[in-house]
Every structure is written in structure tokens, then in C-alpha cells.
Amino acid sequence: MLWRAGGEMSEASGVCEAGGLWKIGGVGGLAKLSKIALASIISVFCALFLLGCGYVPSATYAQKALGERVYVKLNVNLPNPENSVELKDLLNKNIIARFQTRVGSEEEADSIITIDVNKITDTTFAVSSSAFTTYYRVTTYVTYTYDNKKGSRRTFSGSGYFDYNVSLESPLTTYNNRYYAINQAFGQTMDSFVARLSFEGQK
């Protein structure tokens, strides 16, 4: 069935046209609407069920472990110092965004996160028919050490990887691709650290 703006009813051709024509779709359309409504009801029910069972987001546990203020200390032992500095900025932004935890000075911090960027490796991932490398996989190895005022210390080591394209025409493009890949790989190690920190906050 077709509905025309203004209340006029006519037989549907199965096509939605300009000029105020909207296809209702008869029984099929009603079935689709019913499925959407059912999915919405299930979503609301699941949310209420989780709240009723005492579900707590992982970020809440991580914030409990970190405290109100956090200081991030970065140890650079690499030929990629600018990437290491960007990792620190990335961690600071994610701590604030995920846990609403304020990044402060070392003196006022409730906990200190020390980042050791241990190693970055590049391995050939794909080659061309001429045997030139077209893709590299960069892997980062990072250690996070977490200390708090209660005297607790935890160390988490992890790695992340990301593939990047090699441009034979532009070394600058290759450099930028690698720079982006390194930071994506760093982000993976941070996600792993956050997950484990959330687990610590549940204890």
C-alpha cells in the first residue's frame, strides 16, 4: 500500500518516489516493523537485567585501581623518540576519556604508570612480483609498570602489530605510513594494559 502526503490512499507500485510517496509494504512492512520493535524491547530488557544483576562497567574498576590522579612516566630506549612521546600523549588522553581520571604531577598522583618501550620490529609481510617489499608488519613491545600509594606494584608486558604499505615512489609516504602503524600498534598494547588494569580493580 502507498501513502501520499495529504491522506490519499492508492495501490503501491513497490517503488518509493519523490513527491511525498512512502511505501508501507503491507504485511511484509509490518513484519519488519515488528522485528525492529522486538529488537528494541530485547535491548532494553538486557540493559535492565545487567543493571539488576549488579553489572559494573570495566572502566569503573580501572578507575578504582588508578585513583583520582595519575602520572605517566615514559622511558625512551628507541631510535623512535617522537613515537614514544606520542604514546605518552595517547595514554594520557585515553586515561582521561575512559576513566575520567585526572592526569597530574608525580607528587600529587595516586598512582604512577611507567611505560617502557622495549622494541619495535619491522618484518616483510608481502612482496611484489619483482620481489620488492610492498607491505611491512610493525610490532611494538611495551612494558607497563603500575604503582600506587598503597605500595602495590604490577607489571604488564604486551605487544601489538599493524601492517603498512611501502611506497616505492615516495619515501615520505612510507615514513608516514610506518609512523601511523607504530602508533596503532602502541594503541593495542594500551588496550591490553587497560583490560588487565580493570581486572586488578575488581580485587
Side-chain angles (χ1 to χ4, degrees), residues 123-137 164-166 168:
T123 55
T124 298
F125 186 69
V127 296
S128 67
S129 58
S130 303
F132 288 105
T133 298
T134 55
Y135 273 89
Y136 276 107
R137 171 167 290 180
Y164 65 94
N165 177 251
V166 176
L168 301 178

Side-chain angles (χ1 to χ4, degrees), residues 87-144:
L87 171 63
K88 181 179 180 180
D89 293 337
L90 179 68
L91 185 61
N92 283 340
K93 291 176 182 177
N94 275 272
I95 287 174
I96 295 173
R98 294 188 184 194
F99 317 121
Q100 298 81 48
T101 299
R102 185 176 174 182
V103 177
S105 66
E106 186 172 4
E107 292 75 20
E108 64 182 6
D110 296 310
S111 57
I112 297 173
I113 298 174
T114 303
I115 305 172
D116 290 288
V117 185
N118 305 316
K119 185 172 61 173
I120 294 179
T121 61
D122 294 89
T123 55
T124 298
F125 186 69
V127 296
S128 67
S129 58
S130 303
F132 288 105
T133 298
T134 55
Y135 273 89
Y136 276 107
R137 171 167 290 180
V138 64
T139 305
T140 62
Y141 300 86
V142 184
T143 299
Y144 295 87

Side-chain angles (χ1 to χ4, degrees), residues 5-155:
E8 181 181 346
M9 307 293 289
S10 66
E11 291 300 322
S13 63
V15 178
C16 180
E17 301 175 355
L21 299 178
W22 300 87
K23 182 180 178 185
I24 298 298
V27 176
L30 292 176
K32 290 181 180 179
L33 289 174
S34 297
K35 290 180 179 179
I36 294 173
L38 180 61
S40 300
I41 292 172
I42 291 174
S43 298
V44 172
F45 175 78
C46 289
L48 293 174
F49 177 77
L50 289 173
L51 289 174
C53 291
Y55 170 75
V56 180
S58 60
T60 302
Y61 291 119
Q63 186 172 7
K64 176 183 175 182
L66 289 172
E68 291 299 322
R69 296 185 181 181
V70 176
Y71 175 74
V72 180
K73 183 189 299 182
L74 178 65
N75 294 328
V76 180
N77 300 309
L78 294 173
N80 307 86
E82 52 189 298
N83 283 118
S84 297
V85 171
E86 185 160 340
L87 171 63
K88 181 179 180 180
D89 293 337
L90 179 68
L91 185 61
N92 283 340
K93 291 176 182 177
N94 275 272
I95 287 174
I96 295 173
R98 294 188 184 194
F99 317 121
Q100 298 81 48
T101 299
R102 185 176 174 182
V103 177
S105 66
E106 186 172 4
E107 292 75 20
E108 64 182 6
D110 296 310
S111 57
I112 297 173
I113 298 174
T114 303
I115 305 172
D116 290 288
V117 185
N118 305 316
K119 185 172 61 173
I120 294 179
T121 61
D122 294 89
T123 55
T124 298
F125 186 69
V127 296
S128 67
S129 58
S130 303
F132 288 105
T133 298
T134 55
Y135 273 89
Y136 276 107
R137 171 167 290 180
V138 64
T139 305
T140 62
Y141 300 86
V142 184
T143 299
Y144 295 87
T145 303
Y146 154 73
D147 296 271
N148 62 24
K149 286 185 175 179
K150 298 178 181 179
S152 176
R153 165 172 281 208
R154 296 287 187 276
T155 299

Side-chain angles (χ1 to χ4, degrees), residues 160-173:
Y161 67 86
F162 200 85
D163 304 327
Y164 65 94
N165 177 251
V166 176
S167 173
L168 301 178
E169 293 78 20
S170 174
L172 179 59
T173 299

